[in-house]
Amino acid sequence: MNYFENNESQEKALLICVDTGDFDAEASLNELELLAESAGAKVEGKILQRRPSPDPATYIGRGRLAEAELFCHNTEIDLIICDGELSPSQIRNIEKATDVRVIDRTQLILDIFALRAKSREGKLQVEVAQLRYALPRLTGKGTELSRLGGGIGTRGPGESKLESDRRHIMRRIHALEEQLEAIEKRRSLIRKRREKNEVITAALVGYTNAGKSTLMNALTNAGVLAEDKLFATLDPTSRKLTLQNGQSIMLIDTVGFVSRLPHDLVKAFKSTLEEAAGADIVLNVCDASDPRCSEHIEITTNILKELGCVGDNIITVMNKCDMAENVYDILPFGKTVMISALKNVNLDLLLKEIEDRLAVKSTQLTLIIPFSDGSAVNDVRNSGKILSEEFTEKGTLLKVILPADVADRFSKYIV
């Protein structure tokens, strides 16, 4: 269900957060505001309550809930968004007290994903995540019967609506997962074909709204939607990128990250995120102008580690450097390239860095292989990628890209 898409006017929202000391609550509440605005809501107020733990009945406690009730009445609030996962009883109690519809952070993110997903795969992944989220939160009257027996062998107490809904959701999840498995098989075949053809890939990863889509457009003229909103694009996009040395690689855009990203979403989009894990180069794009840039780098780095993506193939790209102050104070260890994708600043340096990283793994050579050594051409073909092939008087002239560890085998043919 999408809460915002069909509204003629913006819904007025009140944000509520409980600060337990486990994370930066103020920063999280500000991010929740950005998420709400990305979904189309207008934030009218924010409540931050410090407690050792969320109240099991009302999330923020009855005293602050009374304040929220008064604020909702005076401001004509349409929606309350809580910065944490709520139980069905908490939602019911807050709605009863305020007479306002209530959702939590996870529901909000799921709603944005449902709004942004355009491809069939993306829509399936979002629906699976929504159903998995809804399954343990089903509530019902228990004794109310949704259907009774209608013939021999079917008489009896029937099945409660709660049980019926749960069985229906489980069947739907199973059907969707089967469809996603088929899509993942096709994606896996595409990846294997790329590996067989020695297609070099570079994946764009990073915190949401860091400028990945803008960078994709600047490098490849991809025409990907780029807006100043969280999760503006979800569906992965692949485009050919030609480096300054003439070498062509595949540039892949991936879904953005966010702090406390719902587990079901990470699981649902696992196949998409695996594009980063299998890439030759990973561009970790960060918003250098964001005050929480260091925290965003840490979050994306941890998610990449969970995906098994570690090593020298990761390039940290500090985007929007023209808008940043004291950017050198937040630079992580390792090689970093500072750019502005929107204003095309230092994109040549980024392309050069990609070339240098690839040069460590592979090398481009020009070979002449005598016709008498015809089997060597097949060895080159199996070991690397042939960029061009031409027959000359001296033999077969090849321009190739070979892995650095096998290039020495063909050193005698180098022009």
Side-chain angles (χ1 to χ4, degrees), residues 235-378:
D235 301 314
T237 304
S238 302
R239 292 291 185 273
K240 178 181 177 182
L241 170 63
T242 302
L243 301 178
Q244 293 169 322
N245 62 2
Q247 184 178 0
S248 295
I249 66 173
M250 186 71 71
L251 186 63
I252 304 172
D253 193 8
T254 62
V255 64
F257 303 144
V258 69
S259 62
R260 295 153 61 209
L261 187 67
H263 174 73
D264 286 334
L265 275 180
V266 175
K267 183 177 180 180
F269 281 83
K270 187 174 183 294
S271 63
T272 305
L273 296 174
E274 283 177 349
E275 293 286 0
D280 298 282
I281 295 291
V282 175
L283 304 180
N284 185 1
V285 184
C286 310
D287 182 354
S289 66
D290 194 304
R292 298 175 62 202
C293 182
S294 298
E295 181 182 342
H296 293 175
I297 293 174
E298 182 179 357
I299 290 171
T300 54
T301 300
N302 290 336
I303 294 178
L304 288 173
K305 286 181 180 178
E306 291 178 13
L307 295 171
C309 187
V310 294
D312 297 332
N313 66 327
I314 299 177
I315 302 174
T316 301
V317 182
M318 304 296 287
N319 190 27
K320 308 181 187 180
C321 63
D322 55 314
M323 302 166 55
E325 296 181 2
N326 302 323
V327 66
Y328 291 97
D329 296 337
I330 58 175
L331 292 181
F333 294 105
K335 182 66 177 180
T336 302
V337 182
M338 291 184 290
I339 69 164
S340 172
L342 186 62
K343 297 184 179 179
N344 292 327
V345 175
N346 290 342
L347 296 187
D348 55 335
L349 297 181
L350 176 59
L351 294 174
K352 181 65 168 60
E353 180 61 26
I354 295 174
E355 289 178 12
D356 292 343
R357 294 294 181 97
L358 292 176
V360 175
K361 293 186 172 185
S362 61
T363 181
Q364 184 170 327
L365 300 172
T366 300
L367 310 176
I368 288 186
I369 300 178
F371 295 121
S372 58
D373 294 345
S375 60
V377 177
N378 289 329

Side-chain angles (χ1 to χ4, degrees), residues 116-312:
R116 302 283 190 264
K118 303 300 180 186
S119 69
R120 177 170 173 264
E121 180 183 12
K123 291 177 180 179
L124 291 175
Q125 289 168 327
V126 171
E127 186 176 353
V128 168
Q130 287 178 317
L131 292 174
R132 286 191 176 279
Y133 176 81
L135 188 60
R137 292 170 173 80
L138 288 177
T139 57
K141 295 182 179 180
T143 58
E144 178 184 332
L145 304 182
S146 59
R147 61 182 183 221
L148 296 176
I152 297 175
T154 64
R155 298 185 181 94
E159 184 178 32
S160 72
K161 186 177 187 305
L162 181 62
E163 293 170 346
S164 174
D165 290 345
R166 185 174 286 115
R167 286 158 60 90
H168 173 72
I169 289 178
M170 288 300 297
R171 285 196 298 267
R172 180 61 178 164
I173 289 175
H174 181 69
L176 292 173
E177 287 181 337
E178 286 185 342
Q179 295 180 54
L180 285 172
E181 284 179 9
I183 293 175
E184 169 54 22
K185 286 180 180 178
R186 288 197 295 270
R187 187 188 292 274
S188 179
L189 289 174
I190 292 173
R191 278 199 293 264
K192 289 180 180 179
R193 193 178 303 126
R194 287 176 186 163
E195 293 173 2
K196 181 179 179 180
N197 296 332
E198 296 294 331
V199 176
I200 299 173
T201 58
L204 290 168
V205 303
Y207 213 78
T208 181
N209 205 34
K212 297 186 300 299
S213 296
T214 303
L215 180 57
M216 182 85 164
N217 291 337
L219 293 176
T220 67
N221 296 318
V224 178
L225 174 66
E227 292 183 324
D228 188 17
K229 290 182 179 180
L230 303 189
F231 301 118
T233 53
L234 287 183
D235 301 314
T237 304
S238 302
R239 292 291 185 273
K240 178 181 177 182
L241 170 63
T242 302
L243 301 178
Q244 293 169 322
N245 62 2
Q247 184 178 0
S248 295
I249 66 173
M250 186 71 71
L251 186 63
I252 304 172
D253 193 8
T254 62
V255 64
F257 303 144
V258 69
S259 62
R260 295 153 61 209
L261 187 67
H263 174 73
D264 286 334
L265 275 180
V266 175
K267 183 177 180 180
F269 281 83
K270 187 174 183 294
S271 63
T272 305
L273 296 174
E274 283 177 349
E275 293 286 0
D280 298 282
I281 295 291
V282 175
L283 304 180
N284 185 1
V285 184
C286 310
D287 182 354
S289 66
D290 194 304
R292 298 175 62 202
C293 182
S294 298
E295 181 182 342
H296 293 175
I297 293 174
E298 182 179 357
I299 290 171
T300 54
T301 300
N302 290 336
I303 294 178
L304 288 173
K305 286 181 180 178
E306 291 178 13
L307 295 171
C309 187
V310 294
D312 297 332

